[in-house]
Amino acid sequence: MQTLRLKTSSTEGAQRAGPGPGDLAPLLAGAATAVGAAGALLALADSDSPLRGPLTLFFLLAAPAAAIAATLRGLEPFGRTLASLAGAVVVNMLVAQGMLALNGWSATGGIVAVTALSSLIFLLVLVRRLRGRTERRRNP
């Protein structure tokens, strides 16, 4: 049995290759953002839709997980995913515990609090990255 190999130039292989799995990442991120936003909006609008529960649960897990994952960019992908999901559960439980301790529990308030905490984490990551860039430019 013989193995036949055809030699092709590197440019021909690149032209024939279709979209790889890395090309779907922005599309999946956009879809996850749309699903999460729909869940938050359905919960805030107090809709009677059957999709309200699953989409809201997705938002409550995905928003803090994405914010925490942005802070952990130095980890390997599996560890980063695991740590960010665990952190999302912790954020949700701390929000629920705080609201119950203050006798101020409401579903709308919980979603607003989780959104605010996730946005704050994203903002802190953005400030840290921008501050790191300006310090590198000042000190070559």
Side-chain angles (χ1 to χ4, degrees):
M1 180 172 222
Q2 289 182 339
T3 302
L4 298 175
R5 295 185 184 178
L6 299 174
K7 293 184 180 181
T8 60
S9 68
S10 60
T11 57
E12 288 179 22
Q15 290 175 353
R16 284 191 231 155
D23 297 335
L24 293 178
L27 179 66
L28 292 176
T33 302
V35 168
L41 289 176
L42 284 174
L44 291 174
D46 202 23
S47 172
D48 290 333
S49 172
L51 294 176
R52 176 183 173 192
L55 294 182
T56 303
L57 180 63
F58 179 79
F59 171 77
L60 288 173
L61 285 175
I68 293 170
T71 64
L72 301 174
R73 64 180 180 168
L75 291 179
E76 293 181 12
F78 180 71
R80 185 178 181 180
T81 302
L82 192 63
S84 63
L85 285 175
V89 170
V90 168
V91 166
N92 286 321
M93 293 184 82
L94 286 174
V95 166
Q97 185 176 5
M99 291 181 76
L100 287 172
L102 297 173
N103 291 329
W105 171 252
S106 71
T108 304
I111 291 174
V112 169
V114 169
T115 303
L117 284 174
S118 300
S119 299
L120 180 66
I121 294 171
F122 268 129
L123 182 64
L124 291 174
V125 170
L126 181 65
V127 167
R128 187 181 70 184
R129 287 184 186 171
L130 290 176
R131 181 176 289 165
R133 288 182 184 171
T134 56
E135 288 177 4
R136 278 187 247 143
R137 288 182 186 166
R138 289 181 190 163
N139 300 325

